[in-house]
Structure formats: structure tokens, C-alpha cells
């Protein structure tokens, strides 16, 4: 596609439920990032994928959070047993590798009731 | 990880120049300085980046101090569409890519 695509754009869930957020990066981009942005805050790094290398998971806040990237393209961020503090906008970005310009999606807004 | 300091907010009149400062005193000698902006309800978008020399593109100019401890993003003529949060991001010196974005500078443009 022309840009980074994320779905769903909005997700409302109940505390304790699992959620999956999807990111489709720009075609050919080898690097993919997930960030979290809580209300009124900056972006918090979660995880980074680069090609076939092991992902950098150093930003994941707990073991309830996990992400995978299948076939070097689409990525899914999974949050298990959601908590109210997980409510935030989850942003995905991709680049062509080498730490260049990041292209962001519109984000997935998660609300945990 | 290089630390950055930006003012929380700035205000400008439409069609006036805007100078957005950023201090990054711990930046390493080989790290590029990237600027992004985030319009309301959107993901961040790239604005400009540079290493040592001043840089210009269609969106803005970037003036980098000679000692590289600070930089200034310059919008030559602010428009209402430039109202956004502006982030100054040096990459993490270990990983080479952007980690956490701070709160940035919220720019208000008034007609």
C-alpha cells in the first residue's frame, strides 16, 4: 500500500480480555516499530523488528505484551488480559532500514473499560 | 541514550517565522538529529534531519549548533496547519534507532 496501515482504528474492550492490533508496513520496508502513546504523553517505544533478526523487545512493559511479524511484513501486537492502564494509542512505523525516516500509521486507539 | 530538552509549548502568529529549539547536549558525534511533528489525531510525520550542517527542505530548515549540543527547527512562515507537537529525536546511541519520543513542543498558531 501507499502508507503504513493499522487496524482496527478504534478498539473498546473489557478488562481481562485479549486484543490483537495489526500493522501492515510499507512494502519493502525491512524495519518495523511499535510505539504506545498514552493521553497527553510522548511516544513510548515497545518493540522493533529488522529483517530476519531477533526483535528488540526491550520496551515491552510486561509479559502480557507480545508481537510477531510474519513473513517479514505484517505485524501483530497482542495484549493479553488487558488492564485499564493499557488504554492508549498504539502506533506502528516502518522504515527501509538503517535508521532513516520513519513512516507512521494512524494508530489504533485502545480503550479498556 | 541522548537526552533532549524542548519547551513544552510555543505560540506564533500566522505567517510569522517560528524557531523551535532543542537541547541535546549528550548526543554522540555520529548521531543524526531528526525532527518529527504530530498533528492532532494523527501519527507523527517526518519533518527534517541533519548531522552537522544546516539543512533545508520544503517543510522547514534545521539549524544545528557548531558544537551539536542544540538545534533549532525553523518554520519560515507558520500556517494554521503547522499547529502540532514537534519532536526532536536523536537516535539511541546503542541501537541506532529512535526509542522514546519525549513530550515535544506543542505549537499553537493563531490567525
Amino acid at each position: 500500500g501507499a502508507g503504513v496501515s493499522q487496524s482496527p482504528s478504534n478498539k473498546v474492550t473489557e478488562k481481562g480480555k485479549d486484543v490483537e492490533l495489526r500493522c501492515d508496513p510499507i512494502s519493502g520496508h525491512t524495519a518495523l516499530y511499535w510505539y504506545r502513546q498514552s493521553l497527553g504523553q510522548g511516544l513510548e517505544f515497545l518493540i522493533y523488528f529488522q529483517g530476519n533478526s531477533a526483535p528488540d523487545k526491550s520496551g515491552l512493559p510486561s509479559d502480557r505484551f507480545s508481537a510477531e511479524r510474519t513473513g517479514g511484513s505484517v505485524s501483530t501486537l497482542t495484549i493479553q488480559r488487558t488492564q485499564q492502564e493499557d488504554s492508549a494509542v498504539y502506533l506502528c512505523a516502518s522504515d527501509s532500514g538503517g535508521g532513516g525516516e520513519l513512516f507512521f500509521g494512524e494508530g489504533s486507539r485502545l480503550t479498556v473499560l | 541514550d541522548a537526552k533532549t530538552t524542548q519547551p513544552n509549548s510555543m505560540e506564533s502568529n500566522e505567517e510569522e517565522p517560528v524557531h523551535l529549539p532543542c537541547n541535546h547536549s549528550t548526543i554522540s558525534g555520529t548521531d543524526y538529529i531528526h525532527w518529527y511533528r504530530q498533528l492532532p489525531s494523527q501519527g507523527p510525520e517526518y519533518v527534517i534531519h541533519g548531522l552537522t550542517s544546516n539543512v533545508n527542505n520544503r517543510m522547514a530548515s534545521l539549524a544545528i549548533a557548531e558544537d551539536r549540543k542544540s538545534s533549532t527547527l525553523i518554520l519560515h512562515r507558520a500556517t494554521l496547519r503547522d499547529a502540532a507537537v514537534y519532536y526532536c529525536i536523536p537516535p539511541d546511541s546503542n541501537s541506532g534507532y529512535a526509542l522514546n519520543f519525549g513530550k515535544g513542543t506543542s505549537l499553537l498558531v493563531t490567525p
Side-chain angles (χ1 to χ4, degrees), chain A residues 33 35 37 40-45 48 56 91 99-102 104-106, chain B residues 34 36 38 41-46 87 95-103:
Chain A
Y33 309 72
Y35 293 88
Q37 187 170 34
Q41 302 297 310
L43 278 70
E44 175 190 5
F45 168 78
Y48 164 71
D56 176 359
L91 289 155
E101 176 184 347
L102 295 177
F104 283 85
E106 296 290 317
Chain B
H34 293 246
Y36 286 80
Q38 188 173 22
S41 301
Q42 295 188 25
E45 64 175 350
Y46 168 84
Y87 300 98
S95 65
Y97 45 84
L99 293 181
N100 298 327
F101 289 40
K103 290 189 178 182

Side-chain angles (χ1 to χ4, degrees), chain B residues 8-80:
Chain B
N8 290 332
S9 62
M10 292 184 67
E11 187 170 342
S12 173
N13 294 321
E14 196 175 11
E15 300 194 0
E16 294 288 322
V18 181
H19 291 227
L20 298 162
C22 179
N23 288 323
H24 33 75
S25 58
T26 60
I27 195 170
S28 76
T30 58
D31 286 341
Y32 279 79
I33 301 150
H34 293 246
W35 283 78
Y36 286 80
R37 72 179 186 182
Q38 188 173 22
L39 279 65
S41 301
Q42 295 188 25
E45 64 175 350
Y46 168 84
V47 178
I48 200 167
H49 75 283
L51 184 62
T52 56
S53 302
N54 294 344
V55 185
N56 301 291
N57 66 20
R58 64 176 179 80
M59 290 182 71
S61 296
L62 179 60
I64 302 171
E66 194 170 337
D67 62 7
R68 292 188 12 98
K69 293 179 184 287
S70 65
S71 62
T72 301
L73 180 70
I74 302 166
L75 307 178
H76 295 286
R77 291 182 63 195
T79 69
L80 297 178

Side-chain angles (χ1 to χ4, degrees), chain A residues 28-72:
Chain A
H29 278 190
T30 58
L32 186 147
Y33 309 72
W34 282 98
Y35 293 88
R36 177 170 72 173
Q37 187 170 34
S38 300
L39 187 63
Q41 302 297 310
L43 278 70
E44 175 190 5
F45 168 78
L46 296 177
I47 189 168
Y48 164 71
F49 296 90
Q50 171 59 276
N52 295 320
S53 302
D56 176 359
K57 304 179 182 180
S58 61
L60 294 178
S62 77
D63 58 7
R64 296 187 295 105
F65 288 72
S66 63
E68 63 177 21
R69 188 179 185 191
T70 54

Side-chain angles (χ1 to χ4, degrees), chain B residues 81-108:
Chain B
R81 293 184 65 252
D82 291 323
V85 178
Y86 287 79
Y87 300 98
C88 161
I89 313 291
D92 174 68
S93 55
N94 290 323
S95 65
Y97 45 84
L99 293 181
N100 298 327
F101 289 40
K103 290 189 178 182
T105 298
S106 179
L107 176 64
L108 175 66

